[in-house]
Amino acid sequence: MGLLIYGARVSEFEIEDRTLAHLQFVVATKLRRGEQFMLTWNHGMERGSGRSSIWISPYVPVHFKYHGNRPPKLNRAWLELMMDGANSPAGLHPIPEAAAGGPE
């Protein structure tokens, strides 16, 4: 299980490594362009359900920390769906890879 560490206050959010790698690509692309956006995700039942949202901005440091040491091969279709979401008014919502025709 990987972590997305956001901001100076060091907030950590557990995200599976494969999903985190795809989020990193989308976040890095948006930040490289100087774009800000909302990132929202749902908590599973194992975490009491609910959801969280954070504002991603080029002015706030972000750190991606992985549990594993091998970077996964990225799924282009999954990246495109996530990027479409990040470019929408609703912001980025991590979706299952299966929604992009990839493995579950």
Side-chain angles (χ1 to χ4, degrees):
M1 189 64 60
L3 295 174
L4 185 156
I5 303 165
Y6 187 71
R9 202 176 127 215
V10 186
S11 297
E12 295 185 357
F13 309 99
E14 283 189 1
I15 299 172
E16 188 273 324
D17 276 1
R18 182 160 178 77
T19 303
L20 187 61
H22 286 76
L23 284 173
Q24 179 180 344
F25 180 93
V26 172
V27 168
T29 299
K30 297 285 286 177
L31 293 179
R32 206 174 359 277
R33 296 175 183 164
E35 298 172 356
Q36 303 176 55
F37 61 99
M38 187 67 69
L39 170 60
T40 300
W41 65 95
N42 294 321
H43 302 281
M45 291 301 289
E46 67 279 0
R47 292 195 177 98
S49 70
R51 66 185 168 89
S52 292
S53 294
I54 56 174
W55 185 247
I56 303 289
S57 165
Y59 307 106
V60 179
V62 62
H63 173 175
F64 296 86
K65 182 178 179 182
Y66 294 88
H67 179 28
N69 61 355
R70 292 188 200 149
K73 184 174 189 301
L74 298 178
N75 176 332
R76 178 179 289 273
W78 196 16
L79 290 171
E80 288 174 3
L81 284 175
M82 284 194 198
M83 187 61 78
D84 288 346
N87 289 330
S88 76
L92 176 57
H93 292 257
I95 57 172
E97 186 171 9
E104 291 197 39

